[in-house]
Each structure stands twice: as C-alpha cells, then as structure tokens.
Amino acid sequence: MKPILREWLTEAEARGLMKRVRREVSPIHELAAVGKLLEPQYGAFFERVAGSAIPVVTGLAASREAMAQSIGLSVRELPDRFNDALTRLTPCKTLNREDGPFAVKAHILTGEQVDLGILPACLHHEKDSARYLTAALCIVKDPETGIRNVSIHRHEIKDRSHLGALLLPRHTNQIFRRAEALGRPLEIALAIGVHPALLLSSQATTRLGVDEFEIGGTLLGEPIELVPCETVDLEVPVECEIVIEGRILPNVRENEGPFGEYPRTYGPRAPRHVIEVTAITHRDTPIYHTIIPASMEHLLLGGIPREAAMLQLVRQTTPNVKSVHITPAGGCRYHAVIQLDQQYKGEAKNAIFAAFASSSEIKHVTVVDTDIDIFDTQDVEWALANRVQAGRDVFVVTGAMGNKLDPSSADGVSDKLGIDATIPVDAERGRFQKIHIAGMENIRLEDYL
Ligand code: MN
C-alpha cells in the first residue's frame, strides 16, 4: 500500500465511502455539521470552503471497515497486524534535498509570509474557543536521544503565527519538558493530509523511544519516506499536503479551550503550551484534513490501537479470549466488551482484571461468550439481559485512576465495574441457547419479493 492520501481518497470515492460536496460551506460549524451527518457511512470532501482556497476532507476512514480497507486488511486482521507492527519496526527512508523537487515544498512561506489564516481550519462545536487543527501529525525529536516521536494533539489557532496546544502527559509532553529544563524551545513539525495508516500508527500505545512512523512502515509494508523541513531540524512525510513548522516555547503558557472532545463533553479552558510558527509549506492546491471531534474517525483512531494493546495483554492471562471491542459510545476509551471461549470457572474475571490493566481509561468491562457479536450492542445487551445475575456476576473496584475528562469522576479518580455475562461453566447450556429459524441464513429475499 502506498501511504498517499490522494490515492486512498480516489479509492475511497470509488468504493462509495466518500461523498463530494460541491456547494460552498462555511468552516464555522457548517462543515462539521455536514460531515457529522454523513459519518460513519461516508467521509466528505468539501470542494469549496468559505474564506480559503483550500478544499477540506473529513472522515478519511469513517468506519472500522474503511480504516481496515485503507491498509488493505479486513476488520478481523487489524488488531493482530497492528500488534505485529509494534514489535517489527520498519526504519524510515529520509530523502535528501537533491532528491526533490518535492510536491509539499511547492510553496514555502517563512517570516512575514507565515499566515495560519490561509488554512480552512474549522470551528467544530458550539462552545469551542477558536478554529482548531485536529488532524495534524505532530513530529518532534527527543533532545537527548534524537529519536522521533509522532502523535496527534489539538491546536487552537491564536493568530497568524501562533498555536495553542494541549499536550497531555504523554510522549510529546515528556520530550518538551526535557527541552524546557534546558531552557530551550522544542522544534515541532505538524503534517496535515496524511494517509490513514500514519494517523493510526501515531496512536499506538508504545514506549517512549519508538518512532511511530516505523510502525506505520510495517503496517503499510514499505518504509515511510521523509523529507527535511525548512526551518527546523525535523523530517516530515514526503506524501503529505501541508506542513507547519515551529517551536513549542519554553516557560510560556496561555489559556486554551474550551474544546469539544472525544467523550462528547467539553474540555475546559486552562493555561497550556504555545507554538510559534516559523514556516508553512504546502502543495499546489493542497487538501486540508479535519477530524471532527467525537466522530467515528476520531474515536476509531484512538480505539483500534487500544483494542490491539488490550487484546495482547488480556491473552497473556486468559488465552481463550477471542477478541475485544472498545465501544464508540464510551468514546472508544471507557467501555470494553471481551469475547471469551470460556473453559474454566473464573476465567472471565481474570480477563476483566487484565483489561483494566491495559489502560487507566477503561472503566466498565463486560465479558461475553463466543455466540455474542461484540460489535453489535443489541447482542451484548441481550447477553446482559439473559446471562447476568448482578449479585454473582458484577463487581466494583473503587477509587482507581480513570480519566479526568469523565465528568462523573473525582478529578480522574474513578470506580471500575466488571460484568461477567458469560454462561456459567457448569450450567446446563441448552437453557442459554439463542433461538434460531432453521435455514434462514440461506434465504435470498429477492427470490420471494
Ligand atoms: Mn510515542
């Protein structure tokens, strides 16, 4: 698979996954509203966006199926292939300036020319403080090791050349603190308009010191090609549409937010990091990508890597686990359903403990048997209705670490709930069997209508 956004867009359109919007839309709420109404069945390509010459795409891979297809995989193959990519990295290929000219360098804006206002950045939700960049790969290098880190953060547009950034206590933040301790800014490059596989690999649950582009390389089956930036000592994917170069300023914090986030609540306004932009480079008629917060595109980018990590960990303690689903209604963070081919008494509870251990964000875990489709919430609720006795099957752990964005938590301190919705191992299984109309799976309705 070529890691090229434009090639995937052509294919997504051919597969009927992408709608083209020719009418002009406003980037203030209107674009997000139309994109949200089309997802998860369709992504949207907006040809004309008011106030900018640049078209906008959203919902690059708006469903689990589309996400898998963009990498040439089936939904079933995705978690194992993702875990494989985590352990078998593919080094990137860095191109020299002489290998150019590069399309992404067709326009190079520096100094006074820098103007974030050329971008069709969107105001998504009603109470958002400003227009935000939501789909930029954020590339930095550890000042101590020189190893690259790739992630996604939200960026508030403050003025022509300044961005706010929410750096949660993860790798970019950790790396920035090392630079800040030395009194130095941290150079940063934001790459907009990249292939879904690069977005997905940037969300991998991995240790500091792994270059997420090397995960993407394995996922796509070829090294990711990078080109040097103009004003910072960093490299960006050669096949991207727009690059913003700059530095995160040391000892500077400014208010950022509120911003509508993945759990469908607003993250509060608070003092946060500031990026000074030193250059913008882009293609001729570039494509700008926005991820609508809390859309399926957003949720799955977080959910799929988390499912892969959970599956690996849960299988270590409970090998009979078949698959896991971290569900969208829980923001692809809080709720997990585990499918287990239970052989021994108590296995389901062990699987639940391992699921809690896979991420502090996991709050409620349900385990079901292999006759339940864990991607079908109706079927999971059916198992809750028919296979659970609360006094026996439900347990609570109080006062664990959760997620601060959960408004029901005490500033991130949260209870955890486990539900064993499996048939007891020693029960008479016939009583739990689902009804079935014999031969229904062979009926073709068009033969009758
Ligand atoms: Mn990382």
Side-chain angles (χ1 to χ4, degrees), residues 148-151 170-172 175 202 204 206-212:
R148 186 170 24 244
N149 191 76
V150 189
S151 57
R170 293 198 287 252
H171 294 168
T172 310
I175 292 169
S202 78
T206 182
R207 67 185 166 80
L208 183 65
V210 172
D211 175 354
E212 284 82 358

Side-chain angles (χ1 to χ4, degrees), residues 83-283:
N83 281 328
D84 173 51
L86 294 178
T87 53
R88 209 165 46 79
L89 303 172
T90 301
C92 299
K93 184 177 171 194
T94 302
L95 304 174
N96 299 310
R97 286 179 199 280
E98 304 80 71
D99 298 326
F102 303 113
V104 71
K105 308 282 190 183
H107 302 266
I108 300 176
L109 309 173
T110 57
E112 289 299 303
Q113 298 167 307
V114 166
D115 182 9
L116 293 164
I118 65 167
L119 302 176
C122 297
L123 191 62
H124 297 98
H125 289 101
E126 198 167 28
K127 293 187 176 169
D128 287 0
S129 58
R131 300 191 191 203
Y132 269 75
L133 314 180
T134 56
L137 285 185
C138 162
I139 301 153
V140 298
K141 274 185 188 169
D142 190 320
E144 287 173 19
T145 63
I147 297 174
R148 186 170 24 244
N149 191 76
V150 189
S151 57
I152 303 175
H153 304 282
R154 68 186 205 212
H155 298 286
E156 178 189 60
I157 297 189
K158 292 180 172 290
D159 58 36
R160 287 172 67 96
S161 59
H162 290 88
L163 293 166
L166 171 66
L167 306 182
L168 291 172
R170 293 198 287 252
H171 294 168
T172 310
N173 189 316
Q174 213 172 331
I175 292 169
F176 171 71
R177 278 188 284 123
R178 288 180 181 174
E180 192 173 48
L182 302 168
R184 296 212 300 248
L186 182 72
E187 291 187 333
I188 183 169
L190 304 174
I192 301 173
V194 299
H195 189 274
L198 295 190
L199 296 166
L200 194 63
S201 15
S202 78
Q203 300 306 295
T205 311
T206 182
R207 67 185 166 80
L208 183 65
V210 172
D211 175 354
E212 284 82 358
F213 282 149
E214 300 192 354
I215 299 171
T218 305
L219 209 52
L220 287 158
E222 64 175 77
I224 305 302
E225 292 187 333
L226 306 173
V227 285
C229 287
E230 299 301 309
T231 60
V232 293
D233 181 22
L234 293 167
E235 299 82 31
V236 289
V238 65
E239 295 294 349
C240 72
E241 299 284 328
I242 301 163
V243 176
I244 299 168
E245 304 177 6
R247 40 200 193 174
I248 312 175
L249 302 175
N251 308 310
V252 176
R253 302 290 189 276
E254 286 179 12
N255 274 332
E256 181 265 357
F259 183 73
E261 269 291 356
Y262 67 85
R264 291 195 270 157
T265 54
Y266 290 96
R269 187 168 183 78
R272 299 208 172 94
H273 298 85
V274 177
I275 298 169
E276 183 182 75
V277 178
T278 53
I280 299 176
T281 78
H282 64 82
R283 288 173 180 258

Side-chain angles (χ1 to χ4, degrees), residues 57-68:
V57 68
T58 191
L60 284 190
S63 65
R64 189 175 285 273
E65 289 72 21
M67 195 71 78

Side-chain angles (χ1 to χ4, degrees), residues 42-71:
Y42 305 108
F45 188 93
F46 296 90
E47 291 183 353
R48 293 193 297 139
V49 179
S52 175
I54 301 175
V56 177
V57 68
T58 191
L60 284 190
S63 65
R64 189 175 285 273
E65 289 72 21
M67 195 71 78
Q69 282 174 31
S70 76
I71 310 169

Side-chain angles (χ1 to χ4, degrees), residues 363 400 402-415:
K363 187 176 172 186
N403 189 307
K404 286 188 187 209
L405 274 177
D406 172 1
S408 74
S409 74
D411 195 31
V413 176
S414 176
D415 293 351

